Amino acid sequence: MKNPTYGWQGATHGNVGFVQCISENGSLTVSICTGVAHVLANEVVKVIPFDRGQLVQLKPDVIEPRYALHEQLRDSQGTVLCIEDEGFIRIGFHGASKGWQADPADFKRFEEFKVGDWVCVRKTPEAAKHDFGIVTAGSIGIVHGIRSDSSLLIEFSCVPAPCIFEPEEVEPVVPFKIGELVCVKRSIAEPSCAWGGETHHSVGRICDIKSNGLLIIEIQNRSIPWTADPSDMEKVEDFKVGDWVRVKASVPSPKYGWDDVTRTSIGIVHNLEDDGDMGVAFSFRSKPFLCSMTDMEKVSPFEVGQEIRVMSSITQPLLGWSNESPATFGTVARIDMDGTLNVRVARRASLWKVAPGDAERLSGLAVGDWVRVKQCLGSRPSYEWNSFRKENIAVVHSIQDSFHLDLVCCFRKGKLPAHSTEVEKVSRIKIGQHVRFRTGLVEPRWGWRGASHNSRGVVTAVNIDGEIRVSFSGLRNLWRGDPADFEIDQMFAVGEWVKLKNSATRWKSLGPGSLGVVQGVRLQEDNWDGTFLVGFCGETELWVGPACDLETVDKLAVGQKVKVKPHVKQPRFGWSGHTHESIGSISAIDLDGKMRIFTPAGTKVWMLDPSEVDVVEEEIIQIGDWIRVKSSIATPVYQWGEVTRDSVGVVHKMEEGELLVAFCFLDQLWVCKEWEMEKVRAFKVGDSVRFREGLVKPRWGWGMETWASKGHVVGVDANGKLRIKFKWREGRPWIGDPADIILDESSSFS
């Protein structure tokens, strides 16, 4: 259309409006955003209208919409709230306090789904556009097609033909996949497909999926696969030994009953069975708790270094108060394999034992800590944060409880409320530190005021709200600044040990990884030029370069035991009669890092470059290590019991020099002294293995195997019990004692 009969009347190509009336001569009166236009029927085309509740977003080719939007709303998904008589629509955006006026020509229906997507019916709207039939809220189907008005054709396993749904009436779900473990939801009393002997505790693996979503499931000890409607099923989490778990809230009772476990109890997976059962170790039980995989869910694990306390709702902890109180808090120093938290408390010599179900994590923040908004936080918690950018820094002013904070910052009056999960701790700038303006800074908060991008200075004062004062060379007065505008200008102290980074260029005989000692800084006309002087052994001249080429390393000390790194073929100062196997003690260290090594067998002084050696650490046994009795021990302090010299166990607990060890053939933990045991390599899933030479009979029999059988490990329990899949064998894995098995390094079986 080049020249409409009645002229353009303020309209343009692409304008969208609706017909208000039709005159006797066939002309139309149309409402558009710019007003009312009169057109002939053959001058316009009919389009699919927007309806209330539909999801829309700005068309990608619209650079400037007729009615301005905030920048953060341009890519956002909105909901049509109403269609105004004047020809425009109002759209509601998440987080906006009012509906935004919009020209319908600037927006398109949100295309969230495509053919093949798995969807779930939302709660049925009061006035659905189409008849749902026997399909109900929660039903799961697959998008079969998309119609011209963006409505969806969806296939459900419970109906013979595709059903029509509006996109707003369904929501995406994570699709089921072949190979996943599933079970019937606890909320389903009778599944669409008859039980056939299964229960809510039955776990099966999906072996096929039909085009309408119908699941074909293989269940152990069932001769033929079972079919199930995906709406009735839920995925069973992919558990592994060592996962932290608790009973699901939806489970009225675990498969084998509660015993002494409660809903708040937290344990660690001890073993997994092929039939869907699992054993869970709890800190207050001597034996694993037997249950079904369908009973449990994963929880976030506790970690060494976290601050914890007993929850306020707990009046009597499972493992007792041990002279502590509800006000006590401490840091997790060690975690036993049954989940027991060994907590270090200030002014207490021994560790405090706490059951994980009784503990809550503290934020780890203290009054005076510097924080910023977490970088992964997509939207701000409240409108009070609108002026707060992700790089801004605030200071914790007060802590209302473990998680609610009051913050203060140098550019805003008053306190800013926050939750500890919304912020992350950052390193604070301290008096005496060297600083420079951060890379990419356009302008400091209060302007440059005589400083420049290249200015470097020293912090002389830090206020309680984080505001800093910086002394810049050439400026008479102290410079007021926002800490978010600065970054630490790395300064190395004289005598500090450093290493050349991988990005550093080679210099003389030095390259990345070379270790040296800082000798000072280089000055140009009494001003530091930003470079450091570093002495490297074997070089008479000092290395000169920027801090970005260096990184701090732990200083080697006299008395430490070292040996030459395996990849060093020829040490800088020669072998002096030693080899890669030689272990010596550092007897002296020069100012440039050169070391003199003492070895009992050495006849000459052995000189080594610090970058050529590895520190030989003493073997320390920890929780989770695989161990056995040393060959030098005739009889353990607490006797052998059922344990033998070949037995291999796993350290579950440690008690002041004593170890509590789990063996696969013992119901109770075996107690021994730490110095009686030595570490051995742990078996891992995927290891190629065979029976050890000279084995007369495995602990639980040969089964169908022989001494020549070879296989690979498919499961390892927390007490070391192995599950092995042998070549050419179908069915359940072979279960064995690790003392009967060795690695088969020559095998390529996988």
Side-chain angles (χ1 to χ4, degrees):
M1 178 57 60
K2 298 226 176 143
N3 295 300
T5 304
Y6 302 112
W8 285 103
Q9 307 167 72
T12 62
H13 286 105
N15 277 139
V16 174
F18 59 88
V19 178
Q20 286 189 328
C21 63
I22 305 174
S23 63
E24 293 180 358
N25 64 359
S27 64
L28 312 176
T29 302
V30 181
S31 285
I32 56 177
C33 288
T34 55
V36 177
H38 299 278
V39 297
L40 297 180
N42 62 359
E43 295 174 338
V44 294
V45 291
K46 190 173 181 179
V47 297
I48 298 171
F50 288 130
D51 280 348
R52 285 185 59 190
Q54 288 183 339
L55 304 177
V56 294
Q57 68 179 164
L58 193 66
K59 291 179 178 176
D61 58 346
V62 176
I63 299 175
E64 284 296 331
R66 182 179 296 277
Y67 303 102
L69 288 172
H70 283 330
E71 190 64 30
Q72 64 266 30
L73 298 181
R74 289 186 59 88
D75 299 324
S76 299
Q77 172 187 334
T79 305
V80 177
L81 302 178
C82 62
I83 295 94
E84 302 287 356
D85 293 339
E86 293 80 2
F88 59 82
I89 60 177
R90 286 200 177 274
I91 303 174
F93 290 100
H94 178 70
S97 58
K98 61 178 182 178
W100 289 82
Q101 183 173 293
D103 184 342
D106 292 337
F107 282 79
K108 66 171 185 175
R109 197 162 183 189
F110 183 67
E111 299 173 358
E112 184 176 9
F113 302 103
K114 61 183 182 295
V115 173
D117 284 349
W118 287 64
V119 294
C120 175
V121 179
R122 297 178 187 266
K123 185 177 180 181
T124 308
E126 294 180 2
K129 278 193 172 184
H130 314 284
D131 181 18
F132 286 4
I134 63 172
V135 177
T136 60
S139 294
I140 294 176
I142 299 176
V143 177
H144 176 73
I146 301 176
R147 307 201 315 171
S148 59
D149 62 353
S150 295
S151 60
L152 309 174
L153 290 171
I154 301 176
E155 278 194 299
F156 295 92
S157 62
C158 57
V159 293
C163 303
I164 302 175
F165 279 81
E166 294 299 309
E168 294 76 27
E169 295 167 347
V170 297
E171 59 186 348
V173 295
V174 178
F176 287 97
K177 297 178 181 178
I178 293 175
E180 289 180 328
L181 294 174
V182 293
C183 66
V184 178
K185 294 176 182 175
R186 295 296 174 123
S187 58
I188 302 296
E190 189 69 31
S192 301
C193 303
W195 281 110
E198 291 71 39
T199 68
H200 286 101
H201 297 293
S202 299
V203 176
R205 192 175 298 276
I206 299 172
C207 61
D208 193 15
I209 302 175
K210 302 300 183 183
S211 61
N212 60 3
L214 189 69
L215 305 179
I216 311 300
I217 303 169
E218 287 183 339
I219 298 177
Q220 187 154 350
N221 300 324
R222 196 180 199 276
S223 57
I224 59 174
W226 185 53
T227 56
D229 185 331
S231 309
D232 297 336
M233 309 302 289
E234 64 181 355
K235 297 177 184 178
V236 176
E237 292 195 71
D238 185 18
F239 293 106
K240 62 182 183 297
V241 173
D243 284 341
W244 292 66
V245 295
R246 68 180 170 200
V247 178
K248 290 180 182 176
S250 60
V251 173
S253 177
K255 183 175 181 178
Y256 301 107
W258 287 100
D259 203 354
D260 52 353
V261 174
T262 67
R263 291 197 182 278
T264 59
S265 301
I266 294 176
I268 297 179
V269 176
H270 180 273
N271 61 282
L272 298 168
E273 304 296 337
D274 296 331
D275 59 0
D277 283 352
M278 65 194 303
V280 181
F282 289 97
S283 59
F284 51 88
R285 289 176 58 91
S286 59
K287 295 182 180 180
F289 173 72
L290 187 61
C291 60
S292 169
M293 291 182 186
T294 63
D295 296 328
M296 311 303 283
E297 64 181 358
K298 293 181 185 179
V299 297
S300 299
F302 284 88
E303 297 176 356
V304 172
Q306 285 181 329
E307 282 190 335
I308 67 158
R309 69 179 179 190
V310 172
M311 290 187 288
S312 57
S313 59
I314 303 296
T315 55
Q316 181 60 38
L318 287 169
L319 304 182
W321 284 109
S322 186
N323 298 322
E324 302 301 335
S325 72
T328 303
F329 67 92
T331 303
V332 178
R334 191 175 68 229
I335 301 176
D336 295 341
M337 290 193 70
D338 59 5
T340 302
L341 306 178
N342 296 268
V343 183
R344 190 169 302 284
V345 179
R347 297 181 299 279
R348 177 183 171 135
S350 60
L351 298 177
W352 179 33
K353 294 185 179 297
V354 180
D358 293 339
E360 67 176 352
R361 302 167 180 83
L362 300 181
S363 66
L365 296 172
V367 172
D369 284 343
W370 286 26
V371 296
R372 67 179 175 189
V373 176
K374 282 186 177 177
Q375 306 299 292
C376 60
L377 202 61
S379 57
R380 296 295 178 262
S382 69
Y383 290 108
E384 295 183 73
W385 289 71
N386 285 341
S387 62
F388 210 87
R389 303 192 307 273
K390 64 180 182 180
E391 65 269 14
N392 287 150
I393 292 175
V395 182
V396 178
H397 179 273
S398 59
I399 301 177
Q400 305 304 326
D401 56 32
S402 295
F403 307 104
H404 292 88
L405 319 169
D406 282 333
L407 309 178
V408 292
C409 46
C410 62
F411 57 87
R412 185 183 187 277
K413 291 184 178 180
K415 300 173 187 174
L416 181 67
H419 195 272
S420 61
T421 58
E422 299 164 353
V423 298
E424 60 186 358
K425 195 171 178 179
V426 297
S427 299
R428 60 185 304 163
I429 295 177
K430 301 176 183 178
I431 294 174
Q433 285 184 319
H434 291 247
V435 293
R436 61 183 175 190
F437 292 104
R438 63 179 172 83
T439 305
L441 179 67
V442 177
E443 184 178 8
R445 181 171 295 279
W446 295 296
W448 290 105
R449 293 168 288 133
S452 67
H453 282 99
N454 298 323
S455 296
R456 284 182 166 86
V458 179
V459 177
T460 60
V462 182
N463 291 350
I464 196 68
D465 59 3
E467 182 179 295
I468 64 176
R469 293 288 193 277
V470 183
S471 174
F472 285 117
S473 177
L475 297 182
R476 294 184 57 187
N477 299 322
L478 295 179
W479 198 90
R480 174 195 180 201
D482 182 340
D485 295 336
F486 290 90
E487 60 187 13
I488 302 298
D489 198 8
Q490 181 66 58
M491 287 292 293
F492 296 105
V494 172
E496 192 170 356
W497 284 55
V498 292
K499 179 175 71 173
L500 288 179
K501 292 182 178 178
N502 292 334
S503 57
T505 56
R506 294 194 65 85
W507 180 76
K508 294 189 174 182
S509 63
L510 306 179
S514 296
L515 269 61
V517 181
V518 176
Q519 309 292 311
V521 297
R522 188 171 70 172
L523 301 177
Q524 298 284 354
E525 298 181 356
D526 295 332
N527 289 319
W528 177 46
D529 66 0
T531 60
F532 292 86
L533 304 174
V534 182
F536 291 92
C537 66
E539 296 293 342
T540 57
E541 187 179 348
L542 296 179
W543 177 91
V544 181
C548 61
D549 285 344
L550 303 171
E551 62 179 292
T552 304
V553 295
D554 292 334
K555 181 179 180 179
L556 294 171
V558 172
Q560 282 184 310
K561 292 184 177 180
V562 296
K563 65 178 180 179
V564 176
K565 293 179 177 178
H567 69 269
V568 176
K569 295 182 179 179
Q570 180 65 31
R572 180 190 294 270
F573 306 112
W575 285 105
S576 298
H578 300 86
T579 67
H580 279 105
E581 303 303 319
S582 300
I583 296 176
S585 300
I586 302 174
S587 60
I589 303 176
D590 293 349
L591 195 59
D592 60 2
K594 184 189 296 181
M595 302 183 305
R596 290 169 174 78
I597 309 299
F598 169 78
T599 59
T603 55
K604 301 190 230 180
V605 176
W606 190 17
M607 312 286 286
L608 287 176
D609 185 320
S611 59
E612 298 172 340
V613 302
D614 283 327
V615 176
V616 178
E617 301 287 353
E618 292 186 17
E619 189 175 69
I620 299 175
I621 295 177
Q622 298 177 331
I623 299 290
D625 285 344
W626 288 45
I627 60 174
R628 67 182 171 198
V629 178
K630 292 178 180 178
S631 57
S632 59
I633 301 298
T635 303
V637 171
Y638 300 117
Q639 305 302 317
W640 288 102
E642 295 182 51
V643 176
T644 67
R645 196 171 297 284
D646 294 326
S647 300
V648 175
V650 183
V651 180
H652 271 229
K653 293 176 178 286
M654 301 179 70
E655 301 284 354
E656 299 179 353
E658 293 184 347
L659 306 179
L660 282 77
V661 186
F663 290 93
C664 63
F665 52 86
L666 294 180
D667 291 333
Q668 303 290 334
L669 296 177
W670 186 73
V671 184
C672 62
K673 293 293 184 181
E674 183 176 348
W675 52 266
E676 296 174 332
M677 310 300 287
E678 63 181 0
K679 289 202 288 188
V680 297
R681 182 194 182 278
F683 284 102
K684 302 180 181 64
V685 172
D687 282 346
S688 295
V689 295
R690 58 185 175 86
F691 291 102
R692 66 178 174 84
E693 295 177 5
L695 179 65
V696 177
K697 182 182 178 182
R699 180 171 295 277
W700 292 294
W702 288 104
M704 297 178 65
E705 309 309 327
T706 69
W707 63 270
S709 297
K710 296 183 179 182
H712 68 280
V713 178
V714 295
V716 184
D717 291 353
N719 59 5
K721 184 185 291 183
L722 301 179
R723 298 166 194 277
I724 300 171
K725 190 76 172 176
F726 283 101
K727 283 184 180 181
W728 327 124
R729 296 284 188 262
E730 298 295 334
R732 303 179 68 175
W734 183 88
I735 296 176
D737 185 335
D740 297 337
I741 301 295
I742 61 173
L743 286 175
D744 181 25
E745 298 178 354
S746 63
S747 176
S748 59
F749 181 69
S750 61

